[in-house]
Amino acid sequence: MTTAHALLSDVFGFDAFRPGQEEIVRAVAAGQNTLAIMPTGGGKSLCFQLPSLIREGVTVVISPLIALMRDQVRGLREAGVAAGALTSGNTEEETQAVFAAIDAGKLKLLYMAPERLASGGTVNLLRRAGVGLIAVDEAHCVSQWGHDFRPDYLRIGELRRTLDVPLAAFTATADAETREEIVTRLFDGQAPETFLRGFDRPNIHLAFAPKDSPRRQILGFADARRGQAGIVYCGTRAKTESLAAALAADGHSACAYHGGMEPDARRAVEERFATEDGLIVVATVAFGMGVDKPDIRWVAHADLPKSIEAYYQEIGRAGRDGAPAETLTLYGPEDIRLRRSQIDESLAPPERRTADHARLNALLGLAEALTCRRQTLLAYFGETAEPCGHCDLCESPPARFDGTEAVRKALSAMLRTGENFGTGHLVDILTGNETDKVRQRGHDQLPTFGVGREFDRKGWQAVFRQMMGRDLVRPDPERHGALRMMQVARPILRGEEGIELRRDTIAAAKSRPAVRALVSDEDAPLLSALKAKRRALAEAARVPAYVIFTDRTLIEMAETRPETMDQMARITGVGATKLERYGAAFLEVITGAAADLPHPARRRLAGREAGALFDRLAEVQRDLARGTDGTGKFLSCTNATLRHIAERRPGSVSELERLPGMGPAKAERFGAAFLDVLGGA
């Protein structure tokens, strides 16, 4: 796909596609109905942005995320692509500018929130715009029982039929059930070209830890990563505010974010996170969906997420630039009780509640895993993998023990007390703690009283937590969280099956050292200077810093130290438009002197083979300006003409003569020599 590769380099500044992208781009550009499941950070947006530049007409992108749409539009415009968005966050001037671009036929990508599909005038607007492709981001939002359901996504299938154009749907979090629902609702059950591009994010380090003074654990984790951008997810609004205050008191740049804040306050946090280096946002899940910031270095969960899909999506906001990133998820019995009760008390039908319990079980299985976490996570999504070697369990394999007898004692204590009590009371019975509550109920006379003195209180709490994590027991919301036994536990109780447990990891859950520095000590000062230049340019343009260049691009500049525009053009992420806008400014930072800029026509060829051809053609032209004997009439070609020759590579003198700016006299003077240069290339 010569055209696609040229656009990839010239517009987006990449030398090659990421794994899986090229086949998806080819299918979408060819007008095939497409469903692509790609990992967060795997380059989904490129798979509809690039085809939009190949195809005729406008590509309408339906996304539920205003912040993401605005970020992508700003990024596309910086790359020289005509893009606009129609969202509730638009100013009147922004909306009118989009309408004007549509009427002028200049727009290539139009971003739109799904709620706009409910407006009667939307279909006419899209027809007027000449829409040739519908791209659906976060396609899992069409799933009515999914964790991000958006009712207006159900209108997209009808829009596809009405406009009679191909549709490309993208998501990172669709299990088999959700994929079937996407096909049914967006493609009328007609199977699209489907690409399942793997869920592995090998640059992300996975880690879980049982809660033990969770505030202290989060503060320690953040302290080891001081100065790096991160997100801390919390289960309640109040906790976001208290934890953000604790981080700020500890010297971090941190702020809270949740759905109860005023819109202006939320926007201010979003703006800070986009533009400020090293900011920590402590948030509910109201924050983050659609965060396009590529250099988030870590994500921590102060509370257990709702499901394994939610967990995967939330940790996927780290390390989108491909550089190392880290995660830490804290969990405890209270988290499990809360998540179980949320499912049991929901209005969903019984079969959906059963499926939600299964999803939570998968996350708890990941939390209580005995072997490689990455293997466990990928297995849930139907993938096999070798042990990764760099999750917390691969780095420090947990101590295990035969927990069969301990689990049987715990189950016996539950049954002998009528399954009417929670963990605290059961631990008192097992450890022989004669509390008033134990004596009043006569539980100090039970055969199980004091039979579990081999563990202390924390040890038994870990046993019960793992039993809940394995879904052997569940808290019953109708009996104030009293534990009840599940069918899967009966074979263990009867001695028909055994079970292996982990020694509790609380003592071992120390803060892992932060990932290595992104650059060497030698390159660190230059990287800081490049970031300062980026920040100044971003503030002047009022755009997020990463819209100028990502951290990964600046790191490559610091390590390779380009000295010319050609060398700068070969840096990943530096496309033609950004080279023209920012190349000289960053070269000056690197070299310490004002950049010696070539002619604009030559700059358009920077980093390409055509650039070297241009230079050789210019040299030949200088030598023959007055003919082979140096006495002829002076003739020369403009830089624009040399660019046309270098790009089009004519194969004969007659073809050369027809190019703009040539003509018979110049073709006769330079033709043979120019063709020799082109032939040698």
Side-chain angles (χ1 to χ4, degrees), residues 432-451:
N433 185 19
E434 292 188 51
T435 65
D436 290 343
K437 186 176 177 182
V438 168
R439 284 194 302 270
Q440 287 168 4
R441 288 165 173 77
H443 292 164
D444 55 338
Q445 303 302 311
L446 293 174
T448 48
F449 183 76
V451 299

mmCIF file of all heavy atoms in Angstrom, residues 432-451:
data_model
loop_
_atom_site.group_PDB
_atom_site.id
_atom_site.type_symbol
_atom_site.label_atom_id
_atom_site.label_comp_id
_atom_site.label_asym_id
_atom_site.label_seq_id
_atom_site.Cartn_x
_atom_site.Cartn_y
_atom_site.Cartn_z
ATOM 1 N N GLY A 432 -10.047 -18.938 68.721
ATOM 2 C CA GLY A 432 -10.341 -19.113 70.136
ATOM 3 C C GLY A 432 -10.399 -17.818 70.908
ATOM 4 O O GLY A 432 -10.046 -17.779 72.097
ATOM 5 N N ASN A 433 -10.850 -16.747 70.268
ATOM 6 C CA ASN A 433 -10.947 -15.440 70.917
ATOM 7 C C ASN A 433 -12.322 -15.309 71.587
ATOM 8 O O ASN A 433 -13.340 -15.168 70.906
ATOM 9 C CB ASN A 433 -10.730 -14.338 69.879
ATOM 10 C CG ASN A 433 -10.703 -12.953 70.493
ATOM 11 O OD1 ASN A 433 -10.500 -12.818 71.701
ATOM 12 N ND2 ASN A 433 -10.897 -11.936 69.666
ATOM 13 N N GLU A 434 -12.362 -15.346 72.919
ATOM 14 C CA GLU A 434 -13.640 -15.348 73.647
ATOM 15 C C GLU A 434 -14.191 -13.931 73.779
ATOM 16 O O GLU A 434 -14.144 -13.319 74.855
ATOM 17 C CB GLU A 434 -13.458 -15.983 75.029
ATOM 18 C CG GLU A 434 -13.167 -17.465 74.990
ATOM 19 C CD GLU A 434 -13.201 -18.078 76.378
ATOM 20 O OE1 GLU A 434 -14.196 -17.865 77.104
ATOM 21 O OE2 GLU A 434 -12.224 -18.738 76.740
ATOM 22 N N THR A 435 -14.759 -13.434 72.714
ATOM 23 C CA THR A 435 -15.405 -12.119 72.776
ATOM 24 C C THR A 435 -16.785 -12.272 73.405
ATOM 25 O O THR A 435 -17.327 -13.372 73.534
ATOM 26 C CB THR A 435 -15.552 -11.518 71.371
ATOM 27 O OG1 THR A 435 -16.460 -12.341 70.616
ATOM 28 C CG2 THR A 435 -14.214 -11.462 70.648
ATOM 29 N N ASP A 436 -17.385 -11.135 73.798
ATOM 30 C CA ASP A 436 -18.742 -11.178 74.350
ATOM 31 C C ASP A 436 -19.708 -11.798 73.357
ATOM 32 O O ASP A 436 -20.594 -12.587 73.736
ATOM 33 C CB ASP A 436 -19.206 -9.762 74.713
ATOM 34 C CG ASP A 436 -18.460 -9.190 75.907
ATOM 35 O OD1 ASP A 436 -17.825 -9.984 76.641
ATOM 36 O OD2 ASP A 436 -18.497 -7.954 76.086
ATOM 37 N N LYS A 437 -19.543 -11.409 72.087
ATOM 38 C CA LYS A 437 -20.433 -11.926 71.044
ATOM 39 C C LYS A 437 -20.298 -13.443 70.914
ATOM 40 O O LYS A 437 -21.296 -14.164 70.746
ATOM 41 C CB LYS A 437 -20.091 -11.236 69.713
ATOM 42 C CG LYS A 437 -21.011 -11.569 68.563
ATOM 43 C CD LYS A 437 -20.605 -10.726 67.340
ATOM 44 C CE LYS A 437 -21.437 -11.057 66.124
ATOM 45 N NZ LYS A 437 -21.026 -10.271 64.926
ATOM 46 N N VAL A 438 -19.071 -13.960 71.006
ATOM 47 C CA VAL A 438 -18.837 -15.405 70.906
ATOM 48 C C VAL A 438 -19.487 -16.123 72.092
ATOM 49 O O VAL A 438 -20.195 -17.136 71.934
ATOM 50 C CB VAL A 438 -17.322 -15.700 70.844
ATOM 51 C CG1 VAL A 438 -17.059 -17.197 71.047
ATOM 52 C CG2 VAL A 438 -16.740 -15.243 69.510
ATOM 53 N N ARG A 439 -19.305 -15.609 73.321
ATOM 54 C CA ARG A 439 -19.846 -16.268 74.507
ATOM 55 C C ARG A 439 -21.367 -16.189 74.544
ATOM 56 O O ARG A 439 -22.046 -17.171 74.876
ATOM 57 C CB ARG A 439 -19.262 -15.615 75.771
ATOM 58 C CG ARG A 439 -17.825 -16.033 76.060
ATOM 59 C CD ARG A 439 -17.423 -15.636 77.484
ATOM 60 N NE ARG A 439 -17.554 -14.193 77.696
ATOM 61 C CZ ARG A 439 -16.590 -13.318 77.476
ATOM 62 N NH1 ARG A 439 -15.414 -13.723 77.018
ATOM 63 N NH2 ARG A 439 -16.787 -12.029 77.703
ATOM 64 N N GLN A 440 -21.921 -15.004 74.178
ATOM 65 C CA GLN A 440 -23.376 -14.830 74.228
ATOM 66 C C GLN A 440 -24.101 -15.825 73.326
ATOM 67 O O GLN A 440 -25.209 -16.268 73.634
ATOM 68 C CB GLN A 440 -23.749 -13.397 73.831
ATOM 69 C CG GLN A 440 -23.412 -12.350 74.886
ATOM 70 C CD GLN A 440 -23.518 -10.936 74.339
ATOM 71 O OE1 GLN A 440 -23.917 -10.728 73.188
ATOM 72 N NE2 GLN A 440 -23.147 -9.958 75.176
ATOM 73 N N ARG A 441 -23.473 -16.177 72.204
ATOM 74 C CA ARG A 441 -24.107 -17.100 71.260
ATOM 75 C C ARG A 441 -23.687 -18.552 71.490
ATOM 76 O O ARG A 441 -24.055 -19.445 70.738
ATOM 77 C CB ARG A 441 -23.777 -16.670 69.820
ATOM 78 C CG ARG A 441 -24.531 -15.400 69.428
ATOM 79 C CD ARG A 441 -23.961 -14.752 68.183
ATOM 80 N NE ARG A 441 -24.786 -13.637 67.733
ATOM 81 C CZ ARG A 441 -24.806 -12.441 68.296
ATOM 82 N NH1 ARG A 441 -24.065 -12.199 69.361
ATOM 83 N NH2 ARG A 441 -25.586 -11.492 67.823
ATOM 84 N N GLY A 442 -22.868 -18.765 72.490
ATOM 85 C CA GLY A 442 -22.426 -20.118 72.791
ATOM 86 C C GLY A 442 -21.443 -20.682 71.790
ATOM 87 O O GLY A 442 -21.211 -21.900 71.734
ATOM 88 N N HIS A 443 -20.838 -19.821 70.998
ATOM 89 C CA HIS A 443 -19.929 -20.304 69.953
ATOM 90 C C HIS A 443 -18.575 -20.741 70.513
ATOM 91 O O HIS A 443 -17.792 -21.365 69.795
ATOM 92 C CB HIS A 443 -19.753 -19.231 68.875
ATOM 93 C CG HIS A 443 -20.999 -18.994 68.084
ATOM 94 N ND1 HIS A 443 -21.184 -17.872 67.299
ATOM 95 C CD2 HIS A 443 -22.145 -19.717 67.972
ATOM 96 C CE1 HIS A 443 -22.377 -17.914 66.726
ATOM 97 N NE2 HIS A 443 -22.980 -19.029 67.119
ATOM 98 N N ASP A 444 -18.342 -20.453 71.813
ATOM 99 C CA ASP A 444 -17.114 -20.960 72.425
ATOM 100 C C ASP A 444 -17.244 -22.444 72.774
ATOM 101 O O ASP A 444 -16.272 -23.081 73.190
ATOM 102 C CB ASP A 444 -16.763 -20.161 73.672
ATOM 103 C CG ASP A 444 -17.912 -20.130 74.681
ATOM 104 O OD1 ASP A 444 -19.080 -20.341 74.277
ATOM 105 O OD2 ASP A 444 -17.643 -19.877 75.870
ATOM 106 N N GLN A 445 -18.455 -22.992 72.587
ATOM 107 C CA GLN A 445 -18.682 -24.408 72.837
ATOM 108 C C GLN A 445 -18.671 -25.234 71.544
ATOM 109 O O GLN A 445 -18.831 -26.457 71.587
ATOM 110 C CB GLN A 445 -20.045 -24.600 73.533
ATOM 111 C CG GLN A 445 -20.185 -23.826 74.824
ATOM 112 C CD GLN A 445 -19.109 -24.190 75.828
ATOM 113 O OE1 GLN A 445 -18.869 -25.386 76.080
ATOM 114 N NE2 GLN A 445 -18.454 -23.175 76.406
ATOM 115 N N LEU A 446 -18.505 -24.570 70.429
ATOM 116 C CA LEU A 446 -18.503 -25.292 69.141
ATOM 117 C C LEU A 446 -17.229 -26.124 68.989
ATOM 118 O O LEU A 446 -16.160 -25.741 69.490
ATOM 119 C CB LEU A 446 -18.589 -24.292 67.972
ATOM 120 C CG LEU A 446 -19.900 -23.503 67.817
ATOM 121 C CD1 LEU A 446 -19.749 -22.468 66.707
ATOM 122 C CD2 LEU A 446 -21.064 -24.442 67.516
ATOM 123 N N PRO A 447 -17.319 -27.252 68.248
ATOM 124 C CA PRO A 447 -16.114 -28.051 67.997
ATOM 125 C C PRO A 447 -15.031 -27.270 67.260
ATOM 126 O O PRO A 447 -13.848 -27.601 67.354
ATOM 127 C CB PRO A 447 -16.632 -29.224 67.152
ATOM 128 C CG PRO A 447 -18.087 -29.286 67.413
ATOM 129 C CD PRO A 447 -18.537 -27.884 67.701
ATOM 130 N N THR A 448 -15.446 -26.241 66.501
ATOM 131 C CA THR A 448 -14.473 -25.461 65.721
ATOM 132 C C THR A 448 -13.838 -24.341 66.528
ATOM 133 O O THR A 448 -12.953 -23.650 66.018
ATOM 134 C CB THR A 448 -15.154 -24.856 64.466
ATOM 135 O OG1 THR A 448 -16.380 -24.236 64.866
ATOM 136 C CG2 THR A 448 -15.433 -25.922 63.430
ATOM 137 N N PHE A 449 -14.285 -24.128 67.765
ATOM 138 C CA PHE A 449 -13.713 -23.033 68.560
ATOM 139 C C PHE A 449 -12.248 -23.330 68.883
ATOM 140 O O PHE A 449 -11.912 -24.361 69.484
ATOM 141 C CB PHE A 449 -14.502 -22.849 69.856
ATOM 142 C CG PHE A 449 -14.007 -21.695 70.690
ATOM 143 C CD1 PHE A 449 -14.301 -20.387 70.343
ATOM 144 C CD2 PHE A 449 -13.208 -21.917 71.815
ATOM 145 C CE1 PHE A 449 -13.845 -19.321 71.102
ATOM 146 C CE2 PHE A 449 -12.735 -20.855 72.576
ATOM 147 C CZ PHE A 449 -13.054 -19.547 72.213
ATOM 148 N N GLY A 450 -11.369 -22.430 68.445
ATOM 149 C CA GLY A 450 -9.946 -22.539 68.740
ATOM 150 C C GLY A 450 -9.186 -23.561 67.919
ATOM 151 O O GLY A 450 -8.005 -23.821 68.211
ATOM 152 N N VAL A 451 -9.822 -24.131 66.856
ATOM 153 C CA VAL A 451 -9.106 -25.161 66.076
ATOM 154 C C VAL A 451 -8.142 -24.536 65.065
ATOM 155 O O VAL A 451 -7.397 -25.258 64.399
ATOM 156 C CB VAL A 451 -10.091 -26.101 65.325
ATOM 157 C CG1 VAL A 451 -10.990 -26.824 66.301
ATOM 158 C CG2 VAL A 451 -10.906 -25.313 64.288
#
